[in-house]
Amino acid sequence: MSQEIKIQTMAELAAKGEKPEVLFWVGCIGSFDDRAKKVTRAFAKILNAAGVKFAVLANEESCTGDPARRAGNEFLFQMQALQNITVLNGYGITRIVTTCPHCFNVMKNEYPVLGGHYEMMHHSQFINQLLKEGRIKVEGGKFEGKTITYHDPCYLGRGNNEYEAPRAILETLDTAIVEMKRSKEKALCCGAGGAQMWKESEPGNKEVNVERSEEAVGTGAKIVAVACNFCNTMLTDGVKHLGKESDVQVKDISELIAEANKL
């Protein structure tokens, strides 16, 4: 059954004198990229199904500045970060969840020195918490007989030592999980991190995303689970490059949970 997506803005809640349980930081790619918008919708459906009172900043949300800092433009990073911190602190925000490990990492580890102190959660951590609390339950029969492999995002895994929450979520599905040879702290980057998404390739004989996609496809898994929209883009392109798009799907963990619950 299709579920209506209910999303309130912080401005709307503030006008009523209310605060959300958590702010959903959508991020640039989650707001503007057509593929990533599906992940945004899936996570919003999960939040609604779990009865989480959440809000978004909408037009008041700006880029975190992460790509600018990774590309070496420190002035632009600080300008963007301070603008966001002013808005967040103005609303008294304390808890933030995001589907983007890049936003998660920079806001958790690099905003505090500029005055932005928040309890940051990646959506894999938040979904896993909802599952543990029984606020959502999973009916994973849709995936019976399928195998899943999981790709660790750099900024979630090595950057913040979070390997278990995404896997705990996948284990609730009626499926077999197979690991790539390079996984967890030894996982290979999808090729987009460190602002590489925004620049031309350097000389070499193979794209990083193709190398990683070969590893994923080589597991025999029918689904490549991701927890980052940049990884989603890069691995989807890699699977297409290998001509395997009809055999292998690249899906965010929130999409898998939403599909399992028919949201």
mmCIF file of all heavy atoms in Angstrom, residues 221-259:
data_model
loop_
_atom_site.group_PDB
_atom_site.id
_atom_site.type_symbol
_atom_site.label_atom_id
_atom_site.label_comp_id
_atom_site.label_asym_id
_atom_site.label_seq_id
_atom_site.Cartn_x
_atom_site.Cartn_y
_atom_site.Cartn_z
ATOM 1 N N ALA A 221 26.042 -11.612 -5.890
ATOM 2 C CA ALA A 221 24.867 -10.987 -5.261
ATOM 3 C C ALA A 221 23.965 -10.347 -6.312
ATOM 4 O O ALA A 221 24.430 -9.816 -7.314
ATOM 5 C CB ALA A 221 25.307 -9.936 -4.258
ATOM 6 N N LYS A 222 22.668 -10.409 -6.058
ATOM 7 C CA LYS A 222 21.691 -9.790 -6.951
ATOM 8 C C LYS A 222 21.414 -8.335 -6.560
ATOM 9 O O LYS A 222 20.877 -7.568 -7.351
ATOM 10 C CB LYS A 222 20.377 -10.582 -6.927
ATOM 11 C CG LYS A 222 20.503 -11.990 -7.483
ATOM 12 C CD LYS A 222 20.967 -11.979 -8.923
ATOM 13 C CE LYS A 222 21.080 -13.385 -9.502
ATOM 14 N NZ LYS A 222 21.651 -13.369 -10.872
ATOM 15 N N ILE A 223 21.769 -7.989 -5.315
ATOM 16 C CA ILE A 223 21.563 -6.625 -4.833
ATOM 17 C C ILE A 223 22.850 -6.124 -4.199
ATOM 18 O O ILE A 223 23.454 -6.806 -3.367
ATOM 19 C CB ILE A 223 20.429 -6.558 -3.787
ATOM 20 C CG1 ILE A 223 19.102 -6.986 -4.407
ATOM 21 C CG2 ILE A 223 20.316 -5.141 -3.206
ATOM 22 C CD1 ILE A 223 17.979 -7.154 -3.391
ATOM 23 N N VAL A 224 23.278 -4.938 -4.611
ATOM 24 C CA VAL A 224 24.398 -4.263 -3.961
ATOM 25 C C VAL A 224 23.784 -3.197 -3.059
ATOM 26 O O VAL A 224 23.196 -2.226 -3.535
ATOM 27 C CB VAL A 224 25.360 -3.610 -4.974
ATOM 28 C CG1 VAL A 224 26.514 -2.930 -4.243
ATOM 29 C CG2 VAL A 224 25.879 -4.640 -5.967
ATOM 30 N N ALA A 225 23.883 -3.398 -1.749
ATOM 31 C CA ALA A 225 23.317 -2.452 -0.790
ATOM 32 C C ALA A 225 24.336 -1.352 -0.506
ATOM 33 O O ALA A 225 25.520 -1.631 -0.309
ATOM 34 C CB ALA A 225 22.931 -3.158 0.497
ATOM 35 N N VAL A 226 23.857 -0.114 -0.496
ATOM 36 C CA VAL A 226 24.716 1.029 -0.206
ATOM 37 C C VAL A 226 24.071 1.871 0.891
ATOM 38 O O VAL A 226 22.891 1.705 1.212
ATOM 39 C CB VAL A 226 24.963 1.890 -1.466
ATOM 40 C CG1 VAL A 226 25.749 1.114 -2.512
ATOM 41 C CG2 VAL A 226 23.648 2.387 -2.055
ATOM 42 N N ALA A 227 24.855 2.778 1.454
ATOM 43 C CA ALA A 227 24.342 3.659 2.493
ATOM 44 C C ALA A 227 24.819 5.085 2.251
ATOM 45 O O ALA A 227 25.039 5.849 3.184
ATOM 46 C CB ALA A 227 24.792 3.167 3.871
ATOM 47 N N CYS A 228 24.989 5.425 0.971
ATOM 48 C CA CYS A 228 25.488 6.738 0.571
ATOM 49 C C CYS A 228 25.040 6.990 -0.861
ATOM 50 O O CYS A 228 25.182 6.124 -1.724
ATOM 51 C CB CYS A 228 27.010 6.761 0.663
ATOM 52 S SG CYS A 228 27.782 8.228 -0.075
ATOM 53 N N ASN A 229 24.494 8.175 -1.114
ATOM 54 C CA ASN A 229 24.007 8.477 -2.462
ATOM 55 C C ASN A 229 25.128 8.610 -3.487
ATOM 56 O O ASN A 229 24.921 8.345 -4.673
ATOM 57 C CB ASN A 229 23.164 9.754 -2.435
ATOM 58 C CG ASN A 229 21.789 9.532 -1.839
ATOM 59 O OD1 ASN A 229 21.124 8.537 -2.148
ATOM 60 N ND2 ASN A 229 21.346 10.433 -0.982
ATOM 61 N N PHE A 230 26.308 9.018 -3.034
ATOM 62 C CA PHE A 230 27.441 9.087 -3.960
ATOM 63 C C PHE A 230 27.862 7.678 -4.365
ATOM 64 O O PHE A 230 28.109 7.407 -5.539
ATOM 65 C CB PHE A 230 28.621 9.823 -3.316
ATOM 66 C CG PHE A 230 28.388 11.292 -3.122
ATOM 67 C CD1 PHE A 230 27.963 11.795 -1.908
ATOM 68 C CD2 PHE A 230 28.581 12.185 -4.175
ATOM 69 C CE1 PHE A 230 27.742 13.150 -1.728
ATOM 70 C CE2 PHE A 230 28.358 13.543 -4.014
ATOM 71 C CZ PHE A 230 27.938 14.034 -2.781
ATOM 72 N N CYS A 231 27.935 6.781 -3.382
ATOM 73 C CA CYS A 231 28.256 5.378 -3.674
ATOM 74 C C CYS A 231 27.202 4.782 -4.607
ATOM 75 O O CYS A 231 27.528 4.017 -5.518
ATOM 76 C CB CYS A 231 28.314 4.564 -2.388
ATOM 77 S SG CYS A 231 29.599 5.054 -1.222
ATOM 78 N N ASN A 232 25.944 5.132 -4.367
ATOM 79 C CA ASN A 232 24.843 4.646 -5.196
ATOM 80 C C ASN A 232 25.070 5.027 -6.656
ATOM 81 O O ASN A 232 24.979 4.195 -7.567
ATOM 82 C CB ASN A 232 23.522 5.232 -4.688
ATOM 83 C CG ASN A 232 22.301 4.486 -5.194
ATOM 84 O OD1 ASN A 232 22.307 3.924 -6.277
ATOM 85 N ND2 ASN A 232 21.234 4.489 -4.398
ATOM 86 N N THR A 233 25.396 6.300 -6.875
ATOM 87 C CA THR A 233 25.635 6.795 -8.239
ATOM 88 C C THR A 233 26.815 6.082 -8.891
ATOM 89 O O THR A 233 26.726 5.604 -10.031
ATOM 90 C CB THR A 233 25.906 8.313 -8.216
ATOM 91 O OG1 THR A 233 24.748 8.988 -7.724
ATOM 92 C CG2 THR A 233 26.250 8.837 -9.604
ATOM 93 N N MET A 234 27.917 5.992 -8.171
ATOM 94 C CA MET A 234 29.137 5.425 -8.743
ATOM 95 C C MET A 234 29.000 3.933 -9.038
ATOM 96 O O MET A 234 29.435 3.449 -10.090
ATOM 97 C CB MET A 234 30.309 5.658 -7.789
ATOM 98 C CG MET A 234 30.606 7.123 -7.495
ATOM 99 S SD MET A 234 31.032 8.089 -8.975
ATOM 100 C CE MET A 234 32.742 7.604 -9.209
ATOM 101 N N LEU A 235 28.379 3.192 -8.124
ATOM 102 C CA LEU A 235 28.236 1.748 -8.339
ATOM 103 C C LEU A 235 27.163 1.430 -9.374
ATOM 104 O O LEU A 235 27.289 0.455 -10.119
ATOM 105 C CB LEU A 235 27.950 1.049 -7.014
ATOM 106 C CG LEU A 235 29.106 1.094 -6.005
ATOM 107 C CD1 LEU A 235 28.729 0.406 -4.704
ATOM 108 C CD2 LEU A 235 30.364 0.454 -6.587
ATOM 109 N N THR A 236 26.119 2.260 -9.436
ATOM 110 C CA THR A 236 25.115 2.078 -10.491
ATOM 111 C C THR A 236 25.764 2.259 -11.860
ATOM 112 O O THR A 236 25.536 1.473 -12.787
ATOM 113 C CB THR A 236 23.955 3.078 -10.327
ATOM 114 O OG1 THR A 236 23.285 2.815 -9.089
ATOM 115 C CG2 THR A 236 22.952 2.955 -11.469
ATOM 116 N N ASP A 237 26.587 3.296 -11.977
ATOM 117 C CA ASP A 237 27.310 3.528 -13.241
ATOM 118 C C ASP A 237 28.273 2.385 -13.537
ATOM 119 O O ASP A 237 28.427 1.963 -14.692
ATOM 120 C CB ASP A 237 28.083 4.844 -13.177
ATOM 121 C CG ASP A 237 27.176 6.062 -13.255
ATOM 122 O OD1 ASP A 237 25.979 5.898 -13.561
ATOM 123 O OD2 ASP A 237 27.671 7.185 -13.012
ATOM 124 N N GLY A 238 28.928 1.867 -12.494
ATOM 125 C CA GLY A 238 29.874 0.766 -12.678
ATOM 126 C C GLY A 238 29.188 -0.510 -13.137
ATOM 127 O O GLY A 238 29.684 -1.210 -14.022
ATOM 128 N N VAL A 239 28.035 -0.802 -12.535
ATOM 129 C CA VAL A 239 27.274 -1.993 -12.929
ATOM 130 C C VAL A 239 26.809 -1.875 -14.381
ATOM 131 O O VAL A 239 26.862 -2.843 -15.146
ATOM 132 C CB VAL A 239 26.073 -2.208 -11.979
ATOM 133 C CG1 VAL A 239 25.119 -3.261 -12.532
ATOM 134 C CG2 VAL A 239 26.565 -2.614 -10.588
ATOM 135 N N LYS A 240 26.389 -0.664 -14.765
ATOM 136 C CA LYS A 240 25.990 -0.437 -16.160
ATOM 137 C C LYS A 240 27.177 -0.610 -17.092
ATOM 138 O O LYS A 240 27.047 -1.172 -18.191
ATOM 139 C CB LYS A 240 25.397 0.962 -16.306
ATOM 140 C CG LYS A 240 24.009 1.119 -15.712
ATOM 141 C CD LYS A 240 23.496 2.540 -15.891
ATOM 142 C CE LYS A 240 22.104 2.688 -15.276
ATOM 143 N NZ LYS A 240 21.618 4.089 -15.363
ATOM 144 N N HIS A 241 28.329 -0.104 -16.688
ATOM 145 C CA HIS A 241 29.545 -0.240 -17.496
ATOM 146 C C HIS A 241 29.863 -1.712 -17.766
ATOM 147 O O HIS A 241 30.329 -2.070 -18.853
ATOM 148 C CB HIS A 241 30.724 0.428 -16.782
ATOM 149 C CG HIS A 241 32.037 0.286 -17.500
ATOM 150 N ND1 HIS A 241 32.422 1.135 -18.519
ATOM 151 C CD2 HIS A 241 33.052 -0.623 -17.356
ATOM 152 C CE1 HIS A 241 33.611 0.762 -18.970
ATOM 153 N NE2 HIS A 241 34.017 -0.298 -18.281
ATOM 154 N N LEU A 242 29.575 -2.560 -16.771
ATOM 155 C CA LEU A 242 29.842 -3.989 -16.910
ATOM 156 C C LEU A 242 28.720 -4.728 -17.635
ATOM 157 O O LEU A 242 28.807 -5.928 -17.860
ATOM 158 C CB LEU A 242 30.043 -4.615 -15.526
ATOM 159 C CG LEU A 242 31.232 -4.074 -14.708
ATOM 160 C CD1 LEU A 242 31.197 -4.636 -13.290
ATOM 161 C CD2 LEU A 242 32.551 -4.409 -15.386
ATOM 162 N N GLY A 243 27.646 -3.997 -17.988
ATOM 163 C CA GLY A 243 26.523 -4.598 -18.687
ATOM 164 C C GLY A 243 25.700 -5.532 -17.823
ATOM 165 O O GLY A 243 25.053 -6.458 -18.318
ATOM 166 N N LYS A 244 25.694 -5.276 -16.514
ATOM 167 C CA LYS A 244 25.008 -6.167 -15.569
ATOM 168 C C LYS A 244 23.767 -5.539 -14.949
ATOM 169 O O LYS A 244 23.226 -6.093 -13.980
ATOM 170 C CB LYS A 244 25.983 -6.577 -14.451
ATOM 171 C CG LYS A 244 27.185 -7.374 -14.918
ATOM 172 C CD LYS A 244 26.780 -8.754 -15.408
ATOM 173 C CE LYS A 244 27.991 -9.596 -15.754
ATOM 174 N NZ LYS A 244 27.613 -10.956 -16.203
ATOM 175 N N GLU A 245 23.309 -4.414 -15.493
ATOM 176 C CA GLU A 245 22.198 -3.711 -14.843
ATOM 177 C C GLU A 245 20.896 -4.511 -14.816
ATOM 178 O O GLU A 245 20.024 -4.265 -13.974
ATOM 179 C CB GLU A 245 21.950 -2.334 -15.491
ATOM 180 C CG GLU A 245 21.521 -2.385 -16.944
ATOM 181 C CD GLU A 245 22.679 -2.268 -17.906
ATOM 182 O OE1 GLU A 245 23.769 -2.784 -17.597
ATOM 183 O OE2 GLU A 245 22.498 -1.661 -18.973
ATOM 184 N N SER A 246 20.739 -5.485 -15.724
ATOM 185 C CA SER A 246 19.523 -6.306 -15.722
ATOM 186 C C SER A 246 19.614 -7.437 -14.692
ATOM 187 O O SER A 246 18.601 -8.043 -14.332
ATOM 188 C CB SER A 246 19.266 -6.905 -17.108
ATOM 189 O OG SER A 246 20.365 -7.722 -17.511
ATOM 190 N N ASP A 247 20.824 -7.706 -14.198
ATOM 191 C CA ASP A 247 21.033 -8.797 -13.242
ATOM 192 C C ASP A 247 21.269 -8.313 -11.818
ATOM 193 O O ASP A 247 20.950 -9.023 -10.859
ATOM 194 C CB ASP A 247 22.253 -9.646 -13.655
ATOM 195 C CG ASP A 247 22.117 -10.220 -15.044
ATOM 196 O OD1 ASP A 247 21.013 -10.678 -15.382
ATOM 197 O OD2 ASP A 247 23.116 -10.211 -15.792
ATOM 198 N N VAL A 248 21.843 -7.132 -11.682
ATOM 199 C CA VAL A 248 22.250 -6.632 -10.360
ATOM 200 C C VAL A 248 21.642 -5.257 -10.104
ATOM 201 O O VAL A 248 21.747 -4.363 -10.942
ATOM 202 C CB VAL A 248 23.794 -6.542 -10.259
ATOM 203 C CG1 VAL A 248 24.205 -6.007 -8.891
ATOM 204 C CG2 VAL A 248 24.439 -7.896 -10.525
ATOM 205 N N GLN A 249 20.996 -5.101 -8.957
ATOM 206 C CA GLN A 249 20.411 -3.825 -8.559
ATOM 207 C C GLN A 249 21.258 -3.170 -7.482
ATOM 208 O O GLN A 249 21.777 -3.855 -6.600
ATOM 209 C CB GLN A 249 19.005 -4.021 -7.999
ATOM 210 C CG GLN A 249 17.960 -4.448 -9.002
ATOM 211 C CD GLN A 249 16.601 -4.583 -8.334
ATOM 212 O OE1 GLN A 249 16.424 -5.369 -7.411
ATOM 213 N NE2 GLN A 249 15.632 -3.808 -8.786
ATOM 214 N N VAL A 250 21.391 -1.848 -7.554
ATOM 215 C CA VAL A 250 22.062 -1.088 -6.508
ATOM 216 C C VAL A 250 20.974 -0.354 -5.721
ATOM 217 O O VAL A 250 20.220 0.422 -6.291
ATOM 218 C CB VAL A 250 23.086 -0.092 -7.081
ATOM 219 C CG1 VAL A 250 23.772 0.681 -5.952
ATOM 220 C CG2 VAL A 250 24.116 -0.810 -7.942
ATOM 221 N N LYS A 251 20.882 -0.635 -4.416
ATOM 222 C CA LYS A 251 19.797 -0.080 -3.600
ATOM 223 C C LYS A 251 20.336 0.460 -2.284
ATOM 224 O O LYS A 251 21.198 -0.161 -1.655
ATOM 225 C CB LYS A 251 18.759 -1.166 -3.280
ATOM 226 C CG LYS A 251 18.010 -1.689 -4.502
ATOM 227 C CD LYS A 251 16.722 -0.946 -4.685
ATOM 228 C CE LYS A 251 15.831 -1.612 -5.720
ATOM 229 N NZ LYS A 251 14.562 -0.888 -5.876
ATOM 230 N N ASP A 252 19.779 1.580 -1.847
ATOM 231 C CA ASP A 252 20.110 2.086 -0.524
ATOM 232 C C ASP A 252 19.412 1.234 0.538
ATOM 233 O O ASP A 252 18.334 0.680 0.301
ATOM 234 C CB ASP A 252 19.663 3.546 -0.397
ATOM 235 C CG ASP A 252 20.128 4.189 0.894
ATOM 236 O OD1 ASP A 252 21.276 4.677 0.915
ATOM 237 O OD2 ASP A 252 19.372 4.187 1.880
ATOM 238 N N ILE A 253 20.015 1.144 1.716
ATOM 239 C CA ILE A 253 19.429 0.333 2.786
ATOM 240 C C ILE A 253 18.021 0.805 3.158
ATOM 241 O O ILE A 253 17.164 -0.006 3.488
ATOM 242 C CB ILE A 253 20.330 0.328 4.040
ATOM 243 C CG1 ILE A 253 20.673 1.757 4.458
ATOM 244 C CG2 ILE A 253 21.576 -0.498 3.820
ATOM 245 C CD1 ILE A 253 21.362 1.845 5.789
ATOM 246 N N SER A 254 17.779 2.109 3.064
ATOM 247 C CA SER A 254 16.439 2.623 3.394
ATOM 248 C C SER A 254 15.416 2.154 2.365
ATOM 249 O O SER A 254 14.263 1.863 2.711
ATOM 250 C CB SER A 254 16.445 4.152 3.470
ATOM 251 O OG SER A 254 16.831 4.724 2.246
ATOM 252 N N GLU A 255 15.819 2.054 1.106
ATOM 253 C CA GLU A 255 14.911 1.552 0.079
ATOM 254 C C GLU A 255 14.571 0.094 0.326
ATOM 255 O O GLU A 255 13.418 -0.327 0.134
ATOM 256 C CB GLU A 255 15.552 1.715 -1.306
ATOM 257 C CG GLU A 255 15.743 3.164 -1.729
ATOM 258 C CD GLU A 255 16.406 3.274 -3.088
ATOM 259 O OE1 GLU A 255 17.542 2.778 -3.240
ATOM 260 O OE2 GLU A 255 15.789 3.853 -3.992
ATOM 261 N N LEU A 256 15.545 -0.694 0.770
ATOM 262 C CA LEU A 256 15.310 -2.110 1.037
ATOM 263 C C LEU A 256 14.325 -2.297 2.188
ATOM 264 O O LEU A 256 13.420 -3.131 2.121
ATOM 265 C CB LEU A 256 16.625 -2.812 1.351
ATOM 266 C CG LEU A 256 17.655 -2.844 0.194
ATOM 267 C CD1 LEU A 256 18.980 -3.417 0.668
ATOM 268 C CD2 LEU A 256 17.120 -3.652 -0.979
ATOM 269 N N ILE A 257 14.498 -1.498 3.245
ATOM 270 C CA ILE A 257 13.587 -1.590 4.395
ATOM 271 C C ILE A 257 12.188 -1.100 3.999
ATOM 272 O O ILE A 257 11.176 -1.704 4.372
ATOM 273 C CB ILE A 257 14.120 -0.778 5.582
ATOM 274 C CG1 ILE A 257 15.417 -1.408 6.103
ATOM 275 C CG2 ILE A 257 13.097 -0.693 6.711
ATOM 276 C CD1 ILE A 257 15.273 -2.828 6.597
ATOM 277 N N ALA A 258 12.121 -0.026 3.232
ATOM 278 C CA ALA A 258 10.818 0.494 2.793
ATOM 279 C C ALA A 258 10.102 -0.528 1.916
ATOM 280 O O ALA A 258 8.891 -0.756 2.051
ATOM 281 C CB ALA A 258 10.996 1.809 2.034
ATOM 282 N N GLU A 259 10.853 -1.185 1.022
ATOM 283 C CA GLU A 259 10.254 -2.188 0.144
ATOM 284 C C GLU A 259 9.804 -3.410 0.944
ATOM 285 O O GLU A 259 8.731 -3.971 0.694
ATOM 286 C CB GLU A 259 11.265 -2.617 -0.931
ATOM 287 C CG GLU A 259 11.489 -1.566 -2.005
ATOM 288 C CD GLU A 259 12.557 -1.999 -2.999
ATOM 289 O OE1 GLU A 259 12.802 -3.220 -3.131
ATOM 290 O OE2 GLU A 259 13.155 -1.113 -3.628
#
